Amino acid sequence: MSKAMGEVLLEANAVAKHFGGVKALRDVSLTIRRGEVYGLIGPNGAGKTTFFNCMTGLYVPDGGGFMFNGTPLVADAPHQAAERGIARTFQNIRLFGNMTALENVMVGRHVRTKAGVVGAMLHTPATRNEEAAIRQRAIDLLHYVRIEDRAEDLAKNLSYGDQRRLEIARALATEPSLLCLDEPAAGMNATETEALRDLIEGIRRDGTTILLIEHDVKLVMGLCDRVAVLDYGALVIEDVPAVVQKDQRVIEAYLGA
Amino acid sequence: MMKWLSPRSALGIALITVALVALPFVAAMGGQAWVRILNFAILYAFLALGLNIVVGLAGLLDLGYIAFYAVGAYTWALLASPHFGLHWPIWAILPFGAALACIAGVVLGSPTLKLRGDYLAIVTLGFGEIVRIFMNNLNAPVNITNGAQGITLIDPVKFGDFSFSGTSQILGISLSGPQKYYYLLVALAILVIIVNERLQNSRIGRAWQAIREDEIAAKAIGINTRNLKLLAFAMGASFGGIAGGIFSAMQGFVSPESFSLIESIMILAMVVLGGMGHIPGVILGAVLLTVLPEVLRYAVGPVQTAIFGKVLVDPESLRMLIFGLALVLVMRFKPAGLWPSPERKRDLTVKPQEVAP
């Protein structure tokens, strides 16, 4: 890692988004520092995924904006977010079902490679080398998330846990500096969650900052360095887990007033 | 990475080569008409492989593909016929026709970028018809396309003094015009197969497939879906343009009625029936859908006479009836196409394992 730990990586400034009369996000401001695991929690419908979608360019915020690595993120350009170094997974897994696991990860290399149509048609040495590098990197990543023996299987035939892992491998293939995981433990049993936790800690150790949306409070509190709580689209608190856990407003938001 | 061929695949390639070389002579025994049918089968395979890029790889349902074929055909017809008195050489027209078709592809593609599935199909269908109607009506006030009468006396393919029309002697073997075109078409088809194959397993090809599978996920990992969709349209259209040029030269005549909606549907049917996204399947689909109606044309009448003693049903309509029935049956019993890619086939035959959350 070239940049120092602890400096600001992503800064959200008063991000607002509404769908018709529903205010999904009300001026949410928060900062994510380099090297940390940052948790974003809140009850269903609190606006967590909307925040994700604004940040990764799938939605255009109605107000406010994001600074990433010191420069603003362009709204409405999801492919640029990936290019800048923001990768994400989806709450409802979105893999390329009819492609193999290996191909899914290879597609993830798209944004860091550059072979074009002409190179592909002429099969130039540069293209062939790049292709070999893409394949090797994808195989390495499948090893990293420990699903290398499913490399040649179609993504949609993988088990649920493996699909989650494949999605993370695909996101890592884009060489993100910020990896955003949208409820990665949803639907997992205790053993799978434990394995996922190891994987996330490994990714953090290897230098990638992680933004984690999660319902599993135990996982979030055990894993995250700092946690933000959203409720009705507004930020309730942003602090270390120990403080957040004891906050009266958080308890109310989760248990009902 | 060149790998040495195993003896078995070397033998396979040798056999296919012999078969491809011998085929026009075998077909000629049944008359030159069969060689022409053969030529059309290859030309359609070429077209279907072009469309396969758009539909099979990028997953964009294009029902107006014939428009690009028309653009290529008319480009050749106008630049190499007495109509304008122009006689450009092949190396100038073919790239020019491909480039024009490519531009047409981008022009069609850009307004449809946000459309998917059925909606895209409707818009492209409209585009195909617009091009045909244009060709039909561009004879006034300035006569460009000669309207419904079409353009005649189009130059054949020529390399220097060597013309592809008429019989000529090569190495003591007498080759008819259609036979010569056959070899030209086979060469072009091999080229387009190689290009298809390489694109499919390239960075761009994978990005197209990603868009086909899940556009939002494709965007999220950094694929510029707009540019790549336009690229797919442009590539597919260029192939259509080249095929159109050869068609024009081979026939010596073009008119708007060669580019009707049914042609677009036929080419799409070849791709779907053969096995979307799978090159050998697409070729099989093209050959079957070109040859089968012709075989039926010759068979339906005599068979009726043999069974009933007279022709009860008009062969022309019965032929299309049988053909339609065959299509329905294939889609009912082989939904992934006659020769789907191994992955897709495995997927449709083997039940995916339970994904219990």
Side-chain angles (χ1 to χ4, degrees), chain B residues 142-209:
Chain B
V142 185
N143 185 2
I144 299 172
T145 62
N146 209 22
Q149 279 104 46
I151 297 167
T152 51
L153 299 171
I154 298 167
D155 296 353
V157 175
K158 261 187 278 188
F159 290 112
D161 285 337
F162 183 79
S163 165
F164 277 75
S165 76
T167 307
S168 57
Q169 301 283 332
I170 297 165
L171 303 169
I173 302 165
S174 171
L175 281 178
S176 68
Q179 283 172 330
K180 282 184 283 184
Y181 272 113
Y182 168 86
Y183 291 113
L184 177 70
L185 285 164
V186 166
L188 281 172
I190 290 171
L191 201 71
V192 73
I193 290 168
I194 293 172
V195 166
N196 245 276
E197 223 279 319
R198 286 182 170 179
L199 278 178
Q200 191 166 345
N201 298 309
S202 73
R203 170 174 174 266
I204 302 289
R206 277 191 303 271
W208 280 334
Q209 292 169 64

Side-chain angles (χ1 to χ4, degrees), chain B residues 346-357:
Chain B
R346 186 177 62 202
D347 186 54
L348 283 160
T349 47
V350 181
K351 279 241 180 289
Q353 51 168 259
E354 232 23 76
V355 280

Side-chain angles (χ1 to χ4, degrees), chain A residues 94 110 113 115 121 131 156, chain B residues 198 203 206 213-214 347:
Chain A
R94 302 190 86 128
H110 184 88
T113 47
M121 285 196 292
E131 189 70 13
K156 67 173 167 198
Chain B
R198 286 182 170 179
R203 170 174 174 266
R206 277 191 303 271
E213 294 295 319
D214 189 327
D347 186 54

